[in-house]
Amino acid sequence: MTLPKTIDLSAMKSGGLIKQKEKDFFAIRLRTPVGKISADHLNKIAEVSKKYGNGKLHLTVRQGIEIQGVTFDMIQTVRDELEEAGLRIGACGPRFRVATACPGAGICPNGLVDSAGLGLEVDETFFGRAEGLDLPHKFKVAIAGCTSCCPKPQENDFGYQGQIEPELIEADCDSCGVCEVTCKEGAIVMGENGLPIRDESKCIYCGDCIKSCPTDAWVSKRVGLAAFIGGRFGRHPELGKKLADFVPPEKALDLIRSVLEFYKKEGKTGERLGVTVNRIGLDEVKRRVL
Amino acid sequence: MSENEIDDNLDLRGVLCPINFVKTKLKLEEMQTGSILEVLLDKGDPMANVPRSVKEEGHKIIKVKKEDGDFFRVMIRKS
Ligand code: HEM
Ligand code: SF4
Ligand code: SF4
Ligand code: SF4
C-alpha cells in the first residue's frame, strides 16, 4: 500500500482511526460529546458514509458514531470533509475520551443538574491530551443528571452524578405523609408531631421528597455533584468509588483536573486509574486531590 | 374539606403509571379552572409519581389523605 501524499501523519496519531480486520479498511470514530448531534451533522455523516465508506455506521456504547469501511487513501479526504462541516474526530488509545452524559435537567424530568452542558464543557477542556498531560492510559468520564445514573458514572474512570439536599420548612408542611410514601430509601418517617423526620444516614439526596411535596414544604438546601473515581469495565470490571459529595458545579472542572494531575504523577504506564487508586488507597487519594 | 366541594372524581386504584397520570390530566382538561378533582391512588409508584406530575403541570394539590387499604385520597384544584 502506498501512502497518499496528502495524508497528515501527525493528525493520525491523535487517534480516532480504527483499523478494520479487512485489509486497508478503516473505521473513523467521530467526536460526538454527550451523544448530542444536530440533524445536519447526521446528514453529513450519512453523506460521507455513502461517498467514502460502505454506507454502514456503528453506534458505539459511549454515544459515539463510527463510519465503517473507509479505505486508507480516503482517510484524509473524509477528515477534511467532516471538519469543513464542523465535525471532529474522536480518540483511541491512552487519551481523555469523548465525554458522555445523559440529557439532564434541560430535558429529563428527573434531572437535577445540566449533565449534558457539563459534559460538553469537560470534553472541550480535556479531550485528547488532557491539557497536555498525556495520561498513563485511557480516561473515560460520564455525567448523570440525577441519582438514577443512566449514563453509568460509576463505570467510568471518573463520574459525576447530580444530587440535591432537602430541607424542611416546617410551617409549610400540612402533614399529608406523601413524602414518607414517596421516599424509596425509607429515609422519611412521620413523627408524632405530624412533621416528617429525615434520617440523614439513609438519604441518598435524590430529591423525590422535594418534587412530590404538595405544599413545597421540602425545599432545596443545595445542589451539587457526587464524584466517583476509578470505575472501569473490560476484563476486570470494578465500580468507581465515592470520592466526594456535593462538589459545587462551578468547581467540577477543577476536581477533574486535580484527579488527572494525580493520575499523571502516580499512574504507571498502561494502568487504569482504578488500579492506581487501589494501590495507593482511597483515603490517600482523597487527601491528595480534594 | 367536605365531600360536596368536590366537582369530579376518579378512582385510579389498580391503574398503573403512566395511565393514571394521563387519565388525571385528561379529566382536569375538561374541568373548569378552580374546580376540584378527587383521585384515589395506590401507594407506591402511583403516589410517588402522579402528585408530582400534577404539581409540575401547574395544578395545586390541596389535600392528601391516607386511607386504610393502602391507598390515598388526593384533591387537586385545577389551575
Ligand atoms: C422519567 C424517568 C427517566 C427518564 C426520562 C430516563 C431517561 C433516560 C435516558 C435519556 C437514557 C439514555 C441515556 C444516554 O445514554 O444518554 C436512559 C438510560 C438509562 N436509564 Fe433512564 N430514565 C429515567 C429513569 C430511570 C431510572 C429510575 C433508572 C434506574 C433506577 C434508569 C436507569 C437507566 C439505565 C441503567 C440506562 C442505561 C441503559 C443502557 O445502557 O442502554 N432510568 N434513561
Ligand atoms: S440520570 Fe437522571 S437526569 Fe439523567 S437521564 Fe437518567 S433519570 Fe434523567
Ligand atoms: S432526598 Fe430522596 S432519599 Fe433523601 S429523604 Fe428525600 S426522597 Fe428520601
Ligand atoms: S409531603 Fe410535604 S406537606 Fe406532606 S408531610 Fe411531607 S413535607 Fe409535609
Side-chain angles (χ1 to χ4, degrees):
Chain A
M1 178 168 51
T2 50
L3 283 177
K5 280 192 277 302
T6 52
I7 197 144
D8 176 357
L9 282 173
S10 69
M12 277 193 72
K13 280 196 209 120
S14 68
L17 299 179
I18 298 126
K19 198 192 133 4
Q20 292 184 194
K21 199 169 168 181
E22 232 176 325
K23 190 176 175 298
D24 289 355
F25 283 98
F26 284 76
I28 299 187
R29 178 176 290 173
L30 302 174
R31 181 174 167 197
T32 51
V34 310
K36 195 170 168 176
I37 185 160
S38 70
D40 284 342
H41 275 169
L42 264 186
N43 278 335
K44 184 71 199 179
I45 294 166
E47 184 193 315
V48 166
S49 158
K50 283 195 218 161
K51 216 157 130 190
Y52 304 107
N54 58 12
K56 292 202 172 68
L57 302 163
H58 173 62
L59 299 181
T60 77
V61 294
R62 292 192 77 252
Q63 307 180 323
I65 299 177
E66 291 168 1
I67 302 173
Q68 298 181 330
V70 178
T71 52
F72 188 78
D73 55 338
M74 279 299 142
I75 288 171
Q76 192 60 36
T77 312
V78 169
R79 274 190 88 100
D80 291 346
E81 262 195 46
L82 291 171
E83 267 163 26
E84 206 171 303
L87 278 155
R88 297 171 298 179
I89 308 293
C92 344
R95 296 255 156 35
F96 192 103
R97 302 300 183 84
V98 182
T100 60
C102 68
I107 303 269
C108 179
N110 291 344
L112 300 172
V113 297
D114 178 15
S115 43
L118 178 56
L120 290 175
E121 255 186 89
V122 166
D123 191 75
E124 217 40 67
T125 309
F126 300 110
F127 172 83
R129 297 187 53 212
E131 299 185 310
L133 283 172
D134 289 330
L135 302 168
H137 202 341
K138 62 171 94 163
F139 198 93
K140 299 180 183 176
V141 171
I143 303 171
C146 81
T147 45
S148 291
C149 287
C150 305
K152 306 168 183 165
Q154 301 93 331
E155 281 180 13
N156 284 253
D157 296 274
F158 190 94
Y160 275 133
Q161 164 233 297
Q163 52 182 186
I164 187 166
E165 184 176 6
E167 182 175 35
L168 186 68
I169 311 288
E170 294 187 356
D172 290 344
C173 171
D174 68 5
S175 306
C176 70
V178 167
C179 54
E180 182 184 35
V181 294
T182 298
C183 176
K184 295 190 189 91
E185 308 304 318
I188 296 180
V189 288
M190 296 305 289
E192 285 183 0
N193 62 357
L195 291 175
I197 302 164
R198 186 172 65 97
D199 180 346
E200 187 91 43
S201 68
K202 288 187 183 159
C203 178
I204 63 158
Y205 308 112
C206 68
D208 285 351
C209 48
I210 300 173
K211 286 188 170 154
S212 68
C213 174
T215 63
D216 292 329
W218 283 112
V219 295
S220 163
K221 189 174 176 189
R222 56 181 174 155
V223 173
L225 299 159
F228 298 95
I229 188 174
R232 66 188 183 286
F233 235 71
R235 294 183 186 212
H236 305 285
E238 199 178 341
L239 290 181
K241 299 180 171 72
K242 176 72 77 67
L243 178 68
D245 275 310
F246 289 102
V247 176
E250 65 275 13
K251 292 263 162 49
L253 295 182
D254 293 342
L255 179 56
I256 297 179
R257 185 173 293 117
S258 169
V259 167
L260 291 171
E261 281 162 0
F262 165 83
Y263 181 38
K264 171 69 184 176
K265 192 146 188 279
E266 300 296 343
K268 296 177 183 164
T269 304
E271 177 180 83
R272 286 290 286 276
L273 176 62
V275 179
T276 317
V277 170
N278 290 343
R279 193 157 47 73
I280 289 175
L282 185 62
D283 288 339
E284 174 65 9
V285 175
K286 282 183 182 173
R287 205 184 58 73
R288 297 266 299 271
V289 305
L290 291 177
Chain B
M1 184 164 301
S2 63
E3 291 289 321
N4 54 19
E5 284 181 58
I6 295 160
D7 297 293
D8 215 329
N9 70 305
L10 276 177
D11 184 351
L12 297 173
R13 286 176 291 175
V15 182
L16 299 179
C17 301
I19 312 295
N20 44 18
F21 169 66
V22 174
K23 287 192 168 182
T24 306
K25 184 180 159 77
L26 292 176
K27 178 62 88 181
L28 283 165
E29 269 171 21
E30 62 190 41
M31 291 171 70
Q32 300 277 326
T33 299
S35 55
I36 290 166
L37 172 68
E38 179 190 79
V39 293
L40 304 185
L41 292 167
D42 292 317
K43 75 164 195 187
D45 277 346
M47 252 332 258
N49 293 311
V50 177
R52 165 184 156 185
S53 302
V54 164
K55 200 176 120 184
E56 276 165 7
E57 298 259 310
H59 307 294
K60 182 110 184 96
I61 294 180
I62 52 176
K63 194 162 185 220
V64 181
K65 192 164 168 280
K66 196 172 184 169
E67 301 284 357
D68 292 338
D70 281 348
F71 74 95
F72 285 76
R73 197 176 288 277
V74 179
M75 278 176 232
I76 304 163
R77 183 185 296 122
K78 176 176 174 159
S79 61

Coordinates of all heavy atoms in Angstrom, one line a residue, chain A residues 106-178:
Chain A
G106 N -32.1 19.9 31.5 CA -32.8 20.6 30.4 C -33.9 19.8 29.8 O -34.8 20.4 29.1
I107 N -33.8 18.5 29.8 CA -34.7 17.6 29.1 C -35.4 16.7 30.0 O -36.7 16.5 29.9 CB -33.9 16.8 28.0 CG1 -33.2 17.7 27.1 CG2 -34.9 15.8 27.3 CD1 -33.9 18.1 25.8
C108 N -34.7 16.0 30.9 CA -35.3 14.9 31.6 C -36.0 15.4 32.9 O -35.4 16.2 33.6 CB -34.1 14.0 32.1 SG -34.7 12.6 33.1
P109 N -37.2 14.9 33.1 CA -37.9 15.4 34.3 C -37.2 15.1 35.6 O -37.5 15.7 36.6 CB -39.3 14.6 34.2 CG -39.3 13.9 32.9 CD -37.9 13.9 32.3
N110 N -36.4 14.1 35.6 CA -35.7 13.7 36.8 C -34.4 14.6 37.1 O -33.8 14.5 38.1 CB -35.2 12.3 36.8 CG -36.4 11.3 36.9 OD1 -37.5 11.8 37.3 ND2 -36.3 10.1 36.5
G111 N -33.9 15.2 36.0 CA -32.6 15.9 36.1 C -32.5 16.9 37.2 O -33.4 17.7 37.4
L112 N -31.4 16.9 37.9 CA -31.1 17.8 39.0 C -30.0 18.8 38.5 O -30.0 20.0 39.0 CB -30.6 17.1 40.2 CG -31.6 16.1 40.9 CD1 -30.9 15.3 42.0 CD2 -32.8 16.8 41.4
V113 N -29.1 18.4 37.7 CA -28.1 19.3 37.1 C -28.0 19.1 35.6 O -28.5 18.1 35.0 CB -26.7 18.9 37.7 CG1 -26.6 19.1 39.2 CG2 -26.3 17.5 37.3
D114 N -27.4 20.1 35.0 CA -27.3 20.1 33.5 C -26.1 19.2 33.1 O -25.0 19.7 32.8 CB -27.1 21.5 33.0 CG -26.9 21.6 31.5 OD1 -27.2 20.6 30.8 OD2 -26.4 22.7 31.0
S115 N -26.3 17.9 33.2 CA -25.3 17.0 32.9 C -24.7 17.1 31.5 O -23.5 17.0 31.2 CB -25.7 15.5 33.2 OG -27.0 15.4 32.6
A116 N -25.6 17.3 30.5 CA -25.1 17.4 29.1 C -24.3 18.7 28.9 O -23.2 18.6 28.3 CB -26.3 17.5 28.2
G117 N -24.7 19.8 29.5 CA -23.9 21.0 29.4 C -22.5 20.9 30.1 O -21.5 21.2 29.5
L118 N -22.5 20.2 31.2 CA -21.2 20.0 31.9 C -20.4 19.0 31.1 O -19.1 19.2 31.0 CB -21.5 19.4 33.3 CG -20.2 19.1 34.2 CD1 -19.3 20.3 34.3 CD2 -20.6 18.6 35.5
G119 N -21.0 18.0 30.5 CA -20.2 17.0 29.7 C -19.6 17.7 28.5 O -18.4 17.4 28.2
L120 N -20.3 18.7 27.9 CA -19.7 19.4 26.8 C -18.5 20.2 27.2 O -17.4 20.3 26.5 CB -20.7 20.3 26.1 CG -21.9 19.6 25.3 CD1 -22.9 20.6 24.9 CD2 -21.3 18.8 24.2
E121 N -18.6 20.8 28.4 CA -17.5 21.7 28.9 C -16.3 20.8 29.2 O -15.2 21.1 28.9 CB -18.0 22.3 30.2 CG -18.3 23.8 30.1 CD -18.5 24.3 31.5 OE1 -17.6 24.7 32.2 OE2 -19.7 24.2 32.0
V122 N -16.6 19.6 29.8 CA -15.5 18.7 30.2 C -14.8 18.2 28.9 O -13.5 18.2 28.8 CB -16.1 17.5 31.0 CG1 -15.1 16.3 31.0 CG2 -16.5 17.9 32.3
D123 N -15.6 17.9 27.9 CA -15.0 17.4 26.6 C -14.1 18.5 26.0 O -13.0 18.3 25.5 CB -16.1 17.0 25.7 CG -15.5 16.3 24.5 OD1 -15.2 15.1 24.7 OD2 -15.4 16.9 23.4
E124 N -14.7 19.7 26.0 CA -14.0 20.9 25.4 C -12.6 21.1 26.1 O -11.6 21.5 25.5 CB -14.9 22.1 25.4 CG -14.8 23.0 24.2 CD -14.8 22.3 22.9 OE1 -15.7 21.7 22.5 OE2 -13.7 22.5 22.2
T125 N -12.6 20.9 27.4 CA -11.4 21.2 28.2 C -10.4 20.2 28.1 O -9.2 20.4 28.0 CB -11.8 21.4 29.7 OG1 -12.9 22.4 29.7 CG2 -10.7 22.0 30.5
F126 N -10.8 18.9 28.2 CA -9.8 17.8 28.5 C -9.6 16.8 27.3 O -8.6 16.0 27.4 CB -10.2 17.0 29.7 CG -10.2 17.9 31.0 CD1 -11.4 18.1 31.6 CD2 -9.0 18.4 31.5 CE1 -11.5 18.9 32.8 CE2 -9.1 19.1 32.7 CZ -10.3 19.4 33.3
F127 N -10.5 16.8 26.3 CA -10.5 15.8 25.3 C -9.1 15.6 24.7 O -8.3 16.6 24.5 CB -11.5 16.1 24.2 CG -11.3 15.2 23.0 CD1 -11.9 14.0 23.0 CD2 -10.5 15.6 21.9 CE1 -11.8 13.1 21.9 CE2 -10.4 14.7 20.8 CZ -11.0 13.5 20.8
G128 N -8.7 14.4 24.5 CA -7.4 14.1 23.8 C -6.3 14.0 24.8 O -6.2 13.1 25.6
R129 N -5.4 15.1 24.8 CA -4.2 15.0 25.6 C -4.4 15.5 27.0 O -3.4 15.7 27.8 CB -3.1 15.8 24.9 CG -2.7 15.2 23.5 CD -1.6 15.9 23.0 NE -0.4 15.9 23.9 CZ 0.5 16.9 24.0 NH1 0.4 17.9 23.2 NH2 1.4 16.8 24.8
A130 N -5.6 15.8 27.5 CA -5.9 16.2 28.8 C -5.0 17.4 29.2 O -4.3 17.4 30.2 CB -5.7 15.1 29.8
E131 N -5.2 18.5 28.5 CA -4.4 19.7 28.7 C -2.9 19.5 28.7 O -2.2 20.0 29.5 CB -4.8 20.4 30.0 CG -6.3 20.8 30.0 CD -6.7 21.6 31.2 OE1 -6.4 21.2 32.3 OE2 -7.3 22.7 31.0
G132 N -2.5 18.6 27.8 CA -1.0 18.3 27.6 C -0.4 17.4 28.6 O 0.8 17.1 28.7
L133 N -1.3 16.8 29.5 CA -0.7 15.9 30.5 C -0.2 14.5 29.9 O 0.7 13.9 30.4 CB -1.8 15.6 31.6 CG -2.0 16.7 32.6 CD1 -3.2 16.3 33.5 CD2 -0.8 16.9 33.5
D134 N -0.9 14.1 28.8 CA -0.6 12.8 28.2 C -0.6 11.7 29.3 O 0.4 11.3 30.0 CB 0.8 12.8 27.5 CG 0.7 13.6 26.2 OD1 -0.4 13.6 25.6 OD2 1.7 14.2 25.9
L135 N -1.8 11.1 29.5 CA -2.1 10.2 30.6 C -1.5 8.8 30.4 O -1.2 8.4 29.3 CB -3.6 10.1 30.8 CG -4.3 11.5 31.0 CD1 -5.8 11.3 30.8 CD2 -3.9 12.0 32.3
P136 N -1.4 8.0 31.6 CA -0.8 6.7 31.5 C -1.7 5.7 30.7 O -1.2 4.7 30.2 CB -0.8 6.2 33.0 CG -0.9 7.5 33.8 CD -1.6 8.5 32.9
H137 N -3.0 5.9 30.6 CA -3.9 5.0 29.9 C -5.1 5.8 29.6 O -5.2 7.0 29.9 CB -4.2 3.8 30.8 CG -4.7 2.6 30.1 ND1 -5.2 2.7 28.8 CD2 -4.8 1.3 30.5 CE1 -5.5 1.4 28.4 NE2 -5.3 0.6 29.4
K138 N -6.1 5.2 28.9 CA -7.3 5.9 28.6 C -8.1 6.4 29.8 O -7.9 5.9 30.9 CB -8.3 4.9 27.8 CG -8.7 3.7 28.6 CD -9.8 2.9 27.8 CE -9.3 1.8 27.0 NZ -10.3 0.8 26.6
F139 N -8.9 7.4 29.6 CA -9.6 8.1 30.7 C -11.0 8.4 30.2 O -11.2 9.2 29.3 CB -8.8 9.3 31.1 CG -9.2 9.8 32.5 CD1 -8.5 9.4 33.6 CD2 -10.3 10.6 32.7 CE1 -8.9 9.8 34.9 CE2 -10.7 11.1 34.0 CZ -10.0 10.7 35.1
K140 N -12.0 7.8 30.9 CA -13.4 8.0 30.5 C -14.2 8.7 31.6 O -14.0 8.4 32.7 CB -14.0 6.6 30.2 CG -13.3 5.9 29.0 CD -14.0 4.6 28.8 CE -13.3 3.8 27.7 NZ -13.8 2.5 27.4
V141 N -15.0 9.6 31.1 CA -15.8 10.3 32.1 C -17.3 10.2 31.6 O -17.6 10.3 30.4 CB -15.4 11.8 32.1 CG1 -16.4 12.7 32.9 CG2 -14.0 12.0 32.7
A142 N -18.2 10.0 32.6 CA -19.6 10.1 32.3 C -20.3 10.9 33.4 O -19.9 10.9 34.6 CB -20.2 8.6 32.4
I143 N -21.3 11.6 33.0 CA -22.0 12.5 33.9 C -23.5 12.3 33.9 O -24.1 12.4 32.8 CB -21.7 14.0 33.5 CG1 -20.2 14.2 33.5 CG2 -22.4 15.0 34.5 CD1 -19.7 15.5 33.0
A144 N -24.1 12.0 35.0 CA -25.5 11.7 35.2 C -26.2 12.9 35.8 O -25.7 13.5 36.8 CB -25.7 10.5 36.0
G145 N -27.4 13.2 35.4 CA -28.1 14.3 35.9 C -28.8 14.1 37.3 O -29.1 15.0 38.0
C146 N -28.9 12.8 37.6 CA -29.6 12.5 38.9 C -29.1 11.2 39.4 O -28.3 10.5 38.8 CB -31.1 12.6 38.8 SG -31.8 11.1 38.1
T147 N -29.7 10.8 40.6 CA -29.3 9.6 41.2 C -29.6 8.3 40.5 O -29.2 7.2 40.8 CB -29.9 9.5 42.7 OG1 -31.3 9.9 42.6 CG2 -29.2 10.4 43.6
S148 N -30.5 8.4 39.4 CA -30.7 7.2 38.6 C -29.5 6.7 37.8 O -29.4 5.6 37.4 CB -31.9 7.4 37.6 OG -33.1 7.6 38.3
C149 N -28.6 7.6 37.6 CA -27.3 7.3 37.0 C -27.4 6.6 35.7 O -26.6 5.6 35.4 CB -26.4 6.4 38.0 SG -25.8 7.4 39.3
C150 N -28.3 7.0 34.8 CA -28.5 6.3 33.5 C -27.2 6.2 32.7 O -26.9 5.1 32.2 CB -29.5 7.0 32.7 SG -31.1 7.2 33.5
P151 N -26.3 7.2 32.6 CA -25.1 7.0 31.8 C -24.0 6.4 32.5 O -22.8 6.4 32.1 CB -24.8 8.5 31.3 CG -25.4 9.3 32.4 CD -26.5 8.6 33.0
K152 N -24.2 5.8 33.7 CA -23.3 4.9 34.4 C -22.0 5.6 34.8 O -20.9 5.2 34.4 CB -22.9 3.7 33.5 CG -24.2 3.0 33.1 CD -23.9 2.0 32.0 CE -25.2 1.3 31.6 NZ -25.1 0.6 30.3
P153 N -22.1 6.7 35.6 CA -20.8 7.3 36.0 C -19.9 6.4 36.8 O -18.7 6.7 36.8 CB -21.4 8.5 36.9 CG -22.8 8.1 37.3 CD -23.3 7.3 36.1
Q154 N -20.4 5.4 37.5 CA -19.6 4.5 38.3 C -18.8 3.5 37.4 O -18.0 2.7 38.0 CB -20.4 3.8 39.4 CG -21.1 4.6 40.3 CD -22.6 4.9 39.9 OE1 -22.8 4.9 38.7 NE2 -23.4 5.1 40.8
E155 N -19.1 3.5 36.1 CA -18.4 2.5 35.3 C -17.3 3.3 34.5 O -16.7 2.7 33.6 CB -19.3 1.9 34.2 CG -20.1 0.8 34.8 CD -21.1 0.2 33.8 OE1 -20.9 0.5 32.6 OE2 -22.0 -0.6 34.2
N156 N -17.0 4.5 34.9 CA -16.0 5.3 34.2 C -14.9 5.6 35.1 O -15.0 5.6 36.3 CB -16.7 6.6 33.6 CG -17.5 6.3 32.4 OD1 -17.1 6.7 31.3 ND2 -18.6 5.7 32.6
D157 N -13.7 6.0 34.6 CA -12.6 6.4 35.4 C -13.0 7.5 36.3 O -12.5 7.6 37.5 CB -11.4 6.8 34.5 CG -10.9 5.7 33.6 OD1 -10.1 4.9 34.1 OD2 -11.4 5.5 32.5
F158 N -13.8 8.4 35.8 CA -14.3 9.5 36.7 C -15.8 9.7 36.3 O -16.1 9.7 35.1 CB -13.5 10.8 36.4 CG -13.8 11.8 37.4 CD1 -13.1 12.0 38.6 CD2 -14.9 12.7 37.2 CE1 -13.4 13.0 39.5 CE2 -15.2 13.7 38.2 CZ -14.5 13.8 39.3
G159 N -16.6 9.9 37.3 CA -18.0 10.1 37.0 C -18.6 11.2 38.0 O -18.2 11.3 39.1
Y160 N -19.6 11.9 37.5 CA -20.3 12.8 38.3 C -21.8 12.4 38.2 O -22.3 11.9 37.2 CB -20.2 14.3 37.8 CG -19.0 15.1 38.2 CD1 -18.3 15.8 37.3 CD2 -18.7 15.1 39.6 CE1 -17.2 16.5 37.7 CE2 -17.6 15.9 40.0 CZ -16.8 16.6 39.1 OH -15.8 17.3 39.5
Q161 N -22.5 12.7 39.3 CA -23.9 12.5 39.4 C -24.6 13.6 40.2 O -24.1 14.0 41.2 CB -24.2 11.1 40.1 CG -25.6 10.8 40.6 CD -25.6 10.5 42.0 OE1 -25.1 9.5 42.5 NE2 -26.2 11.3 42.9
G162 N -25.7 14.2 39.6 CA -26.4 15.3 40.3 C -27.0 14.8 41.6 O -27.4 13.7 41.7
Q163 N -27.0 15.7 42.6 CA -27.6 15.3 43.9 C -28.2 16.6 44.5 O -27.8 17.7 44.2 CB -26.7 14.6 44.8 CG -25.4 15.3 45.0 CD -24.4 14.6 45.9 OE1 -23.3 15.1 46.2 NE2 -24.7 13.4 46.4
I164 N -29.2 16.4 45.4 CA -29.8 17.6 46.0 C -30.1 17.3 47.5 O -30.6 16.2 47.8 CB -31.1 17.9 45.2 CG1 -31.8 19.2 45.7 CG2 -32.1 16.8 45.3 CD1 -32.8 19.8 44.7
E165 N -29.9 18.3 48.3 CA -30.2 18.1 49.7 C -31.5 18.7 50.1 O -31.6 19.9 49.9 CB -29.0 18.6 50.6 CG -29.2 18.3 52.1 CD -28.1 18.7 52.9 OE1 -27.1 19.3 52.4 OE2 -28.1 18.4 54.1
P166 N -32.4 18.0 50.7 CA -33.7 18.6 51.0 C -33.6 19.2 52.4 O -32.8 18.8 53.3 CB -34.7 17.4 51.1 CG -33.8 16.2 51.3 CD -32.4 16.5 50.9
E167 N -34.5 20.2 52.6 CA -34.6 20.9 53.9 C -36.1 21.2 54.1 O -36.8 21.6 53.2 CB -33.8 22.2 53.8 CG -33.8 23.0 55.1 CD -32.9 24.3 54.9 OE1 -32.8 24.9 53.8 OE2 -32.3 24.6 55.9
L168 N -36.6 21.0 55.3 CA -38.0 21.2 55.6 C -38.3 22.5 56.1 O -37.7 23.0 57.1 CB -38.4 20.1 56.6 CG -39.9 20.0 56.9 CD1 -40.7 19.5 55.7 CD2 -40.2 19.2 58.1
I169 N -39.3 23.2 55.5 CA -39.8 24.4 56.0 C -41.1 24.0 56.8 O -42.1 23.8 56.3 CB -40.3 25.4 54.9 CG1 -39.2 25.6 53.9 CG2 -40.7 26.8 55.5 CD1 -38.0 26.4 54.3
E170 N -40.9 23.8 58.1 CA -41.9 23.2 58.9 C -43.3 23.9 58.8 O -44.3 23.3 58.8 CB -41.5 23.2 60.4 CG -40.3 22.3 60.6 CD -39.9 22.1 62.1 OE1 -40.5 22.7 62.9 OE2 -39.0 21.3 62.3
A171 N -43.3 25.2 58.8 CA -44.5 26.0 58.7 C -45.4 25.7 57.5 O -46.6 25.9 57.5 CB -44.2 27.5 58.8
D172 N -44.7 25.2 56.4 CA -45.4 24.9 55.2 C -46.0 23.5 55.1 O -46.7 23.2 54.1 CB -44.5 25.2 53.9 CG -44.3 26.7 53.8 OD1 -45.0 27.5 54.4 OD2 -43.3 27.1 53.1
C173 N -45.6 22.7 56.0 CA -46.0 21.3 55.9 C -47.4 21.1 56.5 O -47.7 21.6 57.6 CB -45.0 20.4 56.7 SG -45.5 18.7 57.0
D174 N -48.3 20.4 55.7 CA -49.6 20.1 56.3 C -49.8 18.6 56.6 O -50.9 18.1 56.6 CB -50.7 20.7 55.5 CG -50.9 20.0 54.1 OD1 -50.2 19.0 53.9 OD2 -51.7 20.5 53.3
S175 N -48.6 17.9 56.9 CA -48.7 16.6 57.5 C -49.4 15.5 56.6 O -50.0 14.6 57.2 CB -49.3 16.6 58.9 OG -48.6 17.6 59.6
C176 N -49.3 15.7 55.3 CA -50.1 14.8 54.5 C -49.5 13.4 54.4 O -50.1 12.4 54.1 CB -50.3 15.3 53.1 SG -48.7 15.4 52.1
G177 N -48.2 13.3 54.6 CA -47.5 12.0 54.6 C -47.0 11.5 53.2 O -46.5 10.4 53.0
V178 N -47.2 12.4 52.1 CA -46.8 12.0 50.8 C -45.3 11.7 50.7 O -44.8 10.7 50.1 CB -47.2 13.1 49.7 CG1 -46.5 12.8 48.4 CG2 -48.7 13.0 49.5

